[in-house]
Structures are given as C-alpha cells and as structure tokens.
C-alpha cells in the first residue's frame, strides 16, 4: 500500500498567460504525482467553478484562494490515505465541499488534486497513466481519433465568427500518424487560402486560424476548400466537425448571430444548422443549441441524431446525472468529457460510464486554457473513449497532447487506433460500411 504523505500546491501559468493551480502528491514509497488545472473561456453555467481571487491584480484571476484550499483544507484530509483509493479520495474531497459547483474549494483546486492523485498512483504502480486507468476501470485501451480545430471563433477569437470551433476529423485514416499528416496539410492549406483572400486576423486561443469572414458559412466554404486543396475529397477520409457553443450567443431560446446580424429562435437555428448538414460534410456537432434549450436539443437530436454525432458540452458539463436525464429525454448522443467541468476524476469516470451505458459516444477534451499537462491523452486512450479533442494543430499546449498519443501508441497494450468507429452511426459510417463496427 502506498500512502499519501504530502499534498502541495503551486501557482503556475496557463496558455493564455493566466495563473492556474498545480498540485504535487508525494507518497510513502517516494513516488510523485503532479497535475495542472486547465481553464475554460466558454464555460457552462453548471460546471465546477474556477475559484479566482477577484480584485484588480492579474485581472482578478489569481488563484491564491484555490491554492490555500489545496494546502489547508484538502491536504489534511488526504494525507495518510491509500493513493489507490481514487474514489474514496474524491469522495473525501467532495465531503469537504458539498456545494453543487464546488465554489468553496474551487474546481481548479479539486481537479488538480484529483488528477495528481491518479498520477501518483500510476507512478507508484510503475505504470503509464493510461495503463493504470485501464486496469482500474476494466476498459480496453484504444488510441483515440482526434478532433482538430482549423478555425477558432466565438469566445476564443474576439467573437469575430459566432461558431466557436471549425474542426476536422479524419475517420478514414488507418493510423494516428496519418491523422497528423492530413491535419498538417489541411491546416496549412486553410492558412494559405485565408492569407490569399486577406481573411487572416491571426491565431485563436486554441491555435486555430482566427478568421475575418463575412459569414459563418464562409468559414465552412473555406474549410471545404482547404480540405480539397490538401488533396482530399471532403466527406471521404476527412469530415468536418463543429462546436457551435450556442450558449455563447443565445439564451432562453433566442439566438443572435452577430457576424450576420441575424436573430433567430431555436427552431430557426436548428433549421439553419440542418441546412449546413445538408450542404457540408459535417459528421459531428457540439452544443448546437444553448445549455438551457432542452426542447431545442431534443428536437435537434430527433431530426439529426441518426445522421451526425451530437455532443453535449456546456449542455452536459461532464455530469453523469445530466447524461442520464438527456438520454431519458432523447437529447444528444455523445458527451464531451472535461475533467475540470466535473471537478474530480471519479465524477468524470462516472460520466463516461453513463455515456457508455446508453451507447453514446464520448470525447475526452481539453479546455481553451491549457498547459503541458497530458493527462487527457492518457484518459482518452485508457477508456477506449475513441475520440480526443484538444484544440488545433499548433502551439505546444496542444501538440504536447497529440505527441503524447504518439508515444503512448508505441507502448505495448495501448490498443489499436480507434479510427472512424465513433462515427459508425453517422452518414459517414453508413457511407463507408462501418455500421457494424460500433
Ligand atoms: P472552453 O471551450 O474550454 O473555452 O470552455 C472549449 C469547448 O467549448 O469545447
Ligand atoms: Zn464546446
């Protein structure tokens, strides 16, 4: 048995230059586990709170209170515990802050601690994280299919484009390496088309191109053109994936597309997105309606759930109970798993299990504020989740995750490449005879 002897927090800095929480867990056998909390910008209102100090210094984003929560409140409750008891440890953390959004300790304090415990346990067992988690969960590992951002919009790019993420997936690739190659080609093709047309503003928060398009559809047109310029037939090996992040531009069933100066109700938004599904090779769509628009999400899923993957991010906030509720009401057919939305590893795993129970897809995901922490590459592989969303194909806080997948795939037992299995029940799967692979 390996016992937690020390829990120590430290302030480090994320990819947007903001302070964040790192936690070190030391064990009686000398092992160390370390993890860093990421941070979202387009956050769901029901996700765990990032505890920040407020005030004027560091734009109010300092994390002294979250660090104190780790060192003064969480640490005493964890020292002396068996590090392998992840569930018991996470339950103990929850008992210290039973508030629904972890506003007392801060989700940033709890997630860094909980993940650091997991790392310490793996290190003590002398296993890579992915293998430790797979053994703990009894899952079959698989190298995930990436979802990679080409254009960034919404809250990540000055709200210049309303839709937040224009991404590609390469479900027709036969290996993870092949996905990396195709993505490189498409990313740079998109960049050169934008530069030629004078549509380039820079790079968005997650490293995708920051476009100055005149309409949201122009982004889709350009993405299709980029896929073609890269030598691909759109919808063949490469498909489009969108994160609409609709809560960012709508609430109470009213939506406002600032770029096009259009206001619409939920039904009109669904019709517009349905038109896009007809016109473009989109196989996956995230948060097509707002987090409060249950009627809209049920309607969207009823109309398009057989055609595309419909992911709840802000809509489900990595919450197992919300997944159960959504499955019962026929909303969504996949869940985004962000450990810091839940606040602990155990709650995230419970969400993943709930999704699997209902035959849903699961996409392990980074946040727009990230760091060198690679935990999610291991979690996605360990769970055989099948999909991993990290942001774009530039900047080291993104590339470190893709590169970690390349290292993991070299380790024996890490499984084969999940490929397009996750999209088996979409139009892409039917077109490519993957229906039975799900
Ligand atoms: P966030 O966005 O990390 O800024 O919340 C990522 C996403 O919406 O998937
Ligand atoms: Zn999202």
């Amino acid at each position: 048995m390996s016992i937690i002897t020390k829990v120590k927090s430290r302030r480090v800095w994320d990819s947007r230059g903001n302070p964040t929480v790192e936690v070190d867990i030391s064990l009686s056998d000398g092992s160390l586990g370390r993890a860093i909390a990421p941070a979202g910008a387009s956050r769901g209102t029901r996700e765990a709170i990032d505890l920040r100090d407020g005030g004027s210094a560091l734009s109010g984003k300092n994390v002294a209170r979250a660090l104190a929560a780790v060192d003064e409140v969480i640490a005493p409750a964890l020292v002396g515990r068996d590090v392998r008891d992840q569930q018991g440890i996470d339950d103990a953390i929850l008992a210290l802050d039973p508030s629904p959004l972890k506003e007392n300790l801060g989700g940033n304090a709890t997630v860094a601690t909980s993940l650091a415990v997991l790392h310490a346990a793996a290190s003590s067992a002398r296993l890579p994280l992915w293998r430790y988690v797979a053994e703990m969960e009894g899952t079959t590992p698989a190298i995930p299919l990436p979802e990679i951002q080409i254009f960034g919009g919404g809250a990540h790019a000055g709200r210049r484009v309303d839709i937040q993420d224009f991404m590609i997936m390469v479900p027709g690739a036969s290996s993870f390496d092949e996905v990396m190659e195709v993505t490189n080609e498409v990313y740079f093709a998109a960049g050169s088309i934008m530069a030629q047309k004078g549509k380039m503003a820079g790079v968005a928060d997650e490293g995708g191109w920051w476009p100055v398009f005149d309409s949201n559809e122009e982004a889709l047109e350009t993405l299709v053109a980029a896929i073609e310029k890269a030598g691909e037939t759109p919808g063949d090996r490469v498909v489009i994936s969108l994160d609409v992040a609709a809560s960012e531009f709508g609430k109470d069933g009213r939506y406002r597309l600032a770029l096009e100066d259009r206001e619409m109700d939920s039904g009109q938004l669904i019709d517009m997105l349905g038109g896009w599904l007809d016109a473009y090779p989109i196989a996956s769509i995230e948060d097509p309606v707002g987090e409060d628009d249950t009627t809209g999400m049920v309607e969207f899923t009823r109309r398009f759930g057989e055609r595309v993957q419909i992911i709840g991010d802000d809509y489900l906030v990595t919450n197992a109970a919300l997944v159960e509720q959504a499955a019962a009401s026929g909303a969504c057919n996949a869940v985004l798993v962000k450990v810091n939305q839940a606040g602990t590893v155990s709650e995230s795993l419970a969400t993943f299990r709930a999704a699997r129970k209902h035959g849903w897809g699961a996409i392990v995901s980074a946040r727009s504020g990230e760091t060198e922490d690679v935990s999610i590459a291991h979690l996605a592989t360990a769970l055989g989740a099948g999909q991993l969303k990290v942001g774009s194909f530039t900047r080291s806080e993104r590339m470190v995750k893709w590169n970690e997948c390349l290292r993991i795939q070299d380790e024996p037992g890490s499984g084969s490449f999940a490929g397009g299995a996750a999209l088996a029940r979409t139009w892409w799967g039917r077109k490519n005879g993957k229906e039975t692979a799900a």
Side-chain angles (χ1 to χ4, degrees), residues 42 164-165 243 245 286-287 313-314 336 338 389:
S42 73
Q164 181 178 287
D165 288 309
D243 181 2
E286 181 177 327
D287 286 339
D313 170 17
D314 295 345
L336 207 70
K338 292 169 163 171
K389 179 186 181 196

Side-chain angles (χ1 to χ4, degrees), residues 5 14 28 64 118 126 132 205 260 280 346 358 375-376 417 420 422 434:
T5 53
D14 74 14
S28 51
L118 190 68
R126 302 202 182 288
Y132 178 76
D205 279 12
E260 299 165 35
Y280 305 100
S346 298
H358 293 289
S375 308
I376 59 169
F417 174 54
K434 300 267 184 198

